[in-house]
Amino acid sequence: MQSFFEYIDRLTPALSKEALAAIGEIAARRTVPRRTLLLRAGEICSNFYFIEKGLGRVFYYRNDQEVTAWFGFEGQVISAIDSFFTGFPSEYWIEILEESEVRVVGNQDIEWLFRHYPETERLGRLMITENYLRLDERMKLFAFHTAEQRYQLVLKQFPSILQRVPLHMIASYIGVTQVTLSRIRAEY
Amino acid sequence: MQSFFEYIDRLTPALSKEALAAIGEIAARRTVPRRTLLLRAGEICSNFYFIEKGLGRVFYYRNDQEVTAWFGFEGQVISAIDSFFTGFPSEYWIEILEESEVRVVGNQDIEWLFRHYPETERLGRLMITENYLRLDERMKLFAFHTAEQRYQLVLKQFPSILQRVPLHMIASYIGVTQVTLSRIRAEY
DNA sequence: TACTGATTTTAACATTTGTAAAAGCGCGGG
DNA sequence: CCCGCGCTTTTACAAATGTTAAAATCAGTA
């Protein structure tokens, strides 16, 4: 369990009580059942989701096959950034994999927050930076490592992933088919 | 020629004269000769570079082969984000491909700017968002398209690229070897 | 315990892409 | 004008991964 406010406090410890209270207003807590689709491709994603407990993912279809692009574990953020920041329909799907406790934060509310509490711009900037770096990490996973190394690194990064995520999702996340992942796993 | 201040004005038209003047102070203009390495892997990247005129790239080595990760054409930003935002040594190289006019902006100066002109936090946020989206676009290039389509799309996105960038850099940018790119190009 | 459905592994084969090296092309300098 | 150098294409072969389908394993439950 990782509370949204602990997360905020880590990024911007100096935030005023008023700003924090305002964030409390707009960040609705919600319990989401397993296998819920929070977004379908073609829809506009007007929220981001902070995972306080549980697990979700972002995925897309390539030749009728699901490909997982992003996991959101406890303390992490999930959204369809291609839509969230542009207002255009997303090409991504968002799915909750386990019953989860999330904070839902809407586009409009964030704009309102920035306008009324300019100090929160800094929080916004740091949250985006953190996720930008996460995406860069993912690029580097492919840039510098073989499929086998990617598998090992993902296990290290998310120690509970084998217990919580089916292998075909891990396979597509590391950029191979499930058959290839099986071959990798067999080599031990 | 795309001036840094036009770019800023597009993102934050409401910025105060004082803030703009301060940015003018910290964003040094510099003429960079062709083939200049602005960063080597292992070094800490404490600047970003706005390309007012010319062209640069970010690349890395995979099995002793250069792989281009990012181009910066006029009006775009180049940096090694893995280092710029973290302070750790980068795994990327930055190279200027053509004699270029750039604006160099340092880490420390940006922090100073944010502190003294909080309104500039917004500019920072929007610049990061824009580049985050560019990285996502690049992920989607691979997610949804074949190598041949990636080649076509890159030509469309950067119409002058064939005249300005050798094919081996384009090949690695779209995730294939130069031999494969040659095969793709031959199919017309 | 045995059945059912979901998940994972295995097998056989096809295809793509990479590797290494040679050949071709184009342009500027001697 | 020709040579040489850098860039690009071509060739032949090897290796890795994908595809399809079947078999095996596992989990939950009747």
Side-chain angles (χ1 to χ4, degrees), chain B residues 2-14 50 75-77 123 126-127 130:
Chain B
Q2 160 86 16
S3 103
F4 188 34
F5 287 101
E6 281 166 35
Y7 175 81
I8 291 170
D9 193 59
R10 178 169 63 80
L11 294 182
T12 49
F50 178 87
Q76 296 183 328
V77 171
L123 173 62
L126 294 175
M127 281 187 68
E130 186 166 290

Side-chain angles (χ1 to χ4, degrees), chain A residues 131-174:
Chain A
N131 284 280
Y132 187 11
L133 284 173
R134 267 195 79 194
L135 188 56
D136 184 60
E137 281 297 319
R138 179 157 165 66
M139 293 289 297
K140 282 188 178 181
L141 197 67
F142 287 88
F144 296 114
H145 303 287
T146 64
E148 183 172 325
Q149 292 169 327
R150 296 200 292 273
Y151 175 64
Q152 300 294 349
L153 288 167
V154 166
L155 294 195
K156 192 173 291 179
Q157 195 189 355
F158 305 121
S160 63
I161 199 170
L162 279 181
Q163 285 72 54
R164 301 168 73 183
V165 177
L167 284 177
H168 71 90
M169 291 183 194
I170 301 176
S172 68
Y173 183 75
I174 64 173

Side-chain angles (χ1 to χ4, degrees), chain B residues 14-28:
Chain B
L15 225 50
S16 72
K17 281 198 167 46
E18 293 74 24
L20 285 169
I23 292 170
E25 292 289 320
I26 67 176

Side-chain angles (χ1 to χ4, degrees), chain A residues 176-177 179-180 183:
Chain A
V176 296
T177 61
V179 173
T180 300
R183 291 197 264 243

Side-chain angles (χ1 to χ4, degrees), chain A residues 15-57:
Chain A
L15 225 50
S16 72
K17 280 198 170 43
E18 293 74 24
L20 285 169
I23 292 170
E25 293 288 320
I26 66 175
R29 184 185 267 127
R30 188 171 146 198
T31 302
V32 183
R34 176 180 159 72
R35 307 234 168 160
T36 304
L37 282 178
L38 295 177
L39 185 82
R40 279 162 235 263
E43 296 175 353
I44 289 165
C45 180
S46 46
N47 299 311
F48 75 77
Y49 303 88
F50 179 86
I51 311 287
E52 293 197 321
K53 181 164 179 301
L55 169 58
R57 65 164 180 152

